[in-house]
Amino acid sequence: MKHLAALFAALFAAGAVAGAANAQTGTLKKIKDSGSITIGHRDTSIPFSYYDDKQQAVGYAVDLCLGIVDAVKAHLKMAKIDVKYNPVTSATRIPLMANGTIDLECGSTTNNLERQKQVAFTITHFVTANRYVAKKASNIKTLNDLKGKTIVSTSGTTNIKWATEENTARKLGMNIIAAKDHAESFLTVDTGRAAAFFMDDILLYSLVATSRNPGDWIIGSEAYTIEPYGIMLRRDDPEFKKVVDAAMRNIYKSGRINAIYEKWFLKPIPPKGINLNVPMSAQFKRVLANPTDSGDPKDYQ
């Protein structure tokens, strides 16, 4: 009897171990247990992630994230997942992801090798470049024209990091202001407190298009860095990343990406009905053909 009892105990223990191995872990377990997923979103990153006139989070990246949520729901065989929204800024998005407050960050976040040391990214969903916006009346045409002047960029972005490093390397003597968000950065130039605002060009086009006097602005022709955007998720969670990446590939392969892109870049968008009229770039078309989560800018040239 003792041997039989020991055998049953061993079988039970083996079954428990196998069951634990098959159980969900990480973010998937968190979603399964709570019945919810938390999306981190921006408030002024038009058209990627921002508030509409009803103070609801909308945008191109938000739509992609909702597509991922549907895939997670199917993977976990859940009838419903409660989607919660948590606002983030350029400065808070990575800490809030790392500490588990948000599960997906749906905004305009550059995927680069340095950030991959802290967080993970799914497949690239847009490719942009770092430029500046200035008032036409300022007659600024190149980076050298900004020597000794005050510039602004948004805190926590790759753009302000680049500007700081470039300012030192080229001895430009610029005074760099760090604003809390893109709207404040743009306002800093509009009110004359800075000569130029450095940011990803697609966000600058959006800010100019929705400004009071779009004709007053000029966006620099020089592209300083390539910025591939990705939806953030936690590092060291391969099970969740596998589901998220598969969802993004399916959106691309099925062609659904074309309708989503057209909705936000080629048609009037809320709240003002502005059409940004930004066709899909050659770089992004290459991503659609060969999906990648690379954080190396060279892979997008």
Side-chain angles (χ1 to χ4, degrees):
M1 286 293 291
K2 288 182 179 179
H3 291 299
L4 191 58
L7 177 61
F8 277 126
L11 289 172
F12 178 80
V17 170
N22 291 328
Q24 303 296 344
T25 60
T27 305
L28 289 175
K29 183 178 189 305
K30 178 175 181 278
I31 295 168
K32 184 78 170 180
D33 292 348
S34 67
S36 66
I37 187 170
T38 302
I39 290 177
H41 70 90
R42 304 296 297 275
D43 57 356
T44 59
S45 288
I46 299 172
F48 295 92
S49 180
Y50 66 102
Y51 283 130
D52 64 9
D53 52 352
K54 299 176 183 176
Q55 290 299 292
Q56 294 179 328
V58 298
Y60 173 70
V62 174
D63 279 1
L64 290 174
C65 276
L66 292 176
I68 291 171
V69 172
D70 287 340
V72 171
K73 183 170 64 175
H75 177 80
L76 293 175
K77 298 180 173 58
M78 295 174 66
K80 179 186 177 184
I81 291 179
D82 183 24
V83 179
K84 299 179 179 180
Y85 291 93
N86 194 101
V88 300
T89 67
S90 298
T92 65
R93 56 191 170 183
I94 291 178
L96 290 176
M97 177 60 68
N99 70 17
T101 300
I102 59 175
D103 303 310
L104 292 169
E105 191 268 336
C106 309
S108 50
T109 301
T110 297
N111 172 11
N112 61 31
L113 299 177
E114 185 175 342
R115 284 177 173 167
Q116 286 182 8
K117 296 174 184 176
Q118 304 176 73
V119 294
F121 291 87
T122 187
I123 291 163
T124 296
H125 64 259
F126 198 84
V127 183
T128 184
N130 177 26
R131 302 178 195 267
Y132 67 79
V133 66
K135 288 289 188 72
K136 284 182 180 177
S138 68
N139 203 33
I140 292 168
K141 301 186 185 306
T142 69
L143 186 60
N144 284 332
D145 292 335
L146 289 164
K147 282 184 177 180
K149 297 183 183 296
T150 296
I151 67 162
V152 64
S153 191
T154 306
S155 177
T157 62
T158 56
N159 313 78
I160 197 166
K161 182 176 183 294
W162 171 87
T164 302
E165 292 172 351
E166 198 73 4
N167 191 34
T168 300
R170 294 179 58 168
K171 299 178 181 178
L172 296 171
M174 297 185 299
N175 175 40
I176 302 174
I177 298 174
K180 67 177 182 179
D181 56 32
H182 305 325
E184 182 179 285
S185 293
F186 193 71
L187 182 63
T188 303
V189 180
D190 195 21
T191 54
R193 289 174 287 159
F197 167 29
F198 284 82
M199 185 43 56
D200 303 337
D201 55 14
I202 183 60
L203 300 178
L204 297 180
Y205 292 134
S206 301
L207 287 163
V208 169
T210 55
S211 67
R212 290 174 298 172
N213 300 297
D216 290 349
W217 298 89
I218 186 168
I219 294 172
S221 60
E222 297 176 330
Y224 304 110
T225 59
I226 295 174
E227 308 285 328
Y229 285 175
I231 291 167
M232 270 200 307
L233 49 152
R234 271 179 287 285
R235 278 189 83 232
D236 303 323
D237 194 347
E239 189 179 12
F240 185 54
K241 180 167 168 52
K242 184 178 179 181
V243 175
V244 173
D245 286 353
M248 288 293 289
R249 286 193 182 93
N250 182 260
I251 290 171
Y252 290 3
K253 186 177 179 181
S254 67
R256 280 188 290 155
I257 186 63
N258 296 314
I260 297 172
Y261 188 96
E262 183 177 342
K263 173 184 175 183
W264 293 103
F265 294 98
L266 298 171
K267 290 184 176 180
I269 59 173
K272 297 182 179 180
I274 299 292
N275 187 339
L276 299 177
N277 195 25
V278 178
M280 198 176 285
S281 68
Q283 292 107 318
F284 186 48
K285 286 180 180 179
R286 288 197 292 271
V287 173
L288 295 185
N290 297 287
T292 178
D293 64 355
S294 174
D296 188 343
K298 294 178 182 176
D299 292 336
Y300 300 92
Q301 292 176 345

